């Protein structure tokens, strides 16, 4: 019921910023939990951030708190990930996910590449 398309990735230098977008096509977007994950070459997929349907509740991995911010605009059916002070270890393919519950997630985008140069 939900199709997700990420955008906004690219190449940045360490300390730079990017804002990723995840555009959703489907019904009842405002009722879905949304999350961002990332996967670097040779590593397992890693949870990044989560946001509740209303946007009132968010969660982050501790190492990303203060640098990454997840938000959503239900009127536009879009979720964002603002990434500041990027580090080379942030290099990965970033994917968004949607689910009617917080976990597991039922729908996944194909990802957008983020590369941070040192």
């Amino acid at each position: 019921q939900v199709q997700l398309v990420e955008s906004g990735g690219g190449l940045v230098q360490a300390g730079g910023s990017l804002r990723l977008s995840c555009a959703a096509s489907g019904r009842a977007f405002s009722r879905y939990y949304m999350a961002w994950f990332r996967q670097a070459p040779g590593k397992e997929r890693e949870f990044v951030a989560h946001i509740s349907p209303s946007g009132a509740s968010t969660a982050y991995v501790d190492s990303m708190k203060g640098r990454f911010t997840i938000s959503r605009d239900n009127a536009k059916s879009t979720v964002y990930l603002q990434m500041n002070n990027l580090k080379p270890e942030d290099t990965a393919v970033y994917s968004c996910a949607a689910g009617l519950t917080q976990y597991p997630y039922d729908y996944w985008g194909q990802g957008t590449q983020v590369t941070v140069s040192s």
Side-chain angles (χ1 to χ4, degrees), residues 90-105:
D90 294 321
T91 295
V93 174
Y94 285 72
S95 301
C96 64
L100 291 173
T101 60
Q102 183 174 347
Y103 189 87
Y105 298 96

Side-chain angles (χ1 to χ4, degrees), residues 37-51:
F37 292 79
R38 69 184 185 185
Q39 186 169 24
K43 296 184 178 180
E44 295 183 350
R45 187 165 55 199
E46 176 187 25
F47 169 81
V48 174
H50 148 93
I51 189 166

Side-chain angles (χ1 to χ4, degrees), residues 23-82:
S25 298
R27 300 178 181 179
F29 174 79
S30 62
R31 297 181 181 178
Y32 280 82
Y33 289 87
M34 301 295 297
W36 286 95
F37 292 79
R38 69 184 185 185
Q39 186 169 24
K43 296 184 178 180
E44 295 183 350
R45 187 165 55 199
E46 176 187 25
F47 169 81
V48 174
H50 148 93
I51 189 166
S52 63
S54 70
S57 178
T58 59
Y60 306 89
V61 174
D62 285 344
S63 63
M64 301 174 190
K65 288 184 177 179
R67 297 194 302 122
F68 290 10
T69 302
I70 188 171
S71 62
R72 67 192 296 162
D73 185 341
N74 286 343
K76 296 182 177 180
S77 297
T78 301
V79 174
Y80 306 95
L81 183 68
Q82 178 68 46

Side-chain angles (χ1 to χ4, degrees), residues 4-10 20-22 36-39 45 92-97 108-114:
L4 306 173
V5 180
E6 302 93 338
S7 62
L20 306 183
S21 298
C22 175
W36 286 95
F37 292 79
R38 69 184 185 185
Q39 186 169 24
R45 187 165 55 199
V93 174
Y94 285 72
S95 301
C96 64
W108 293 81
Q110 293 186 331
T112 184
Q113 177 71 47
V114 172

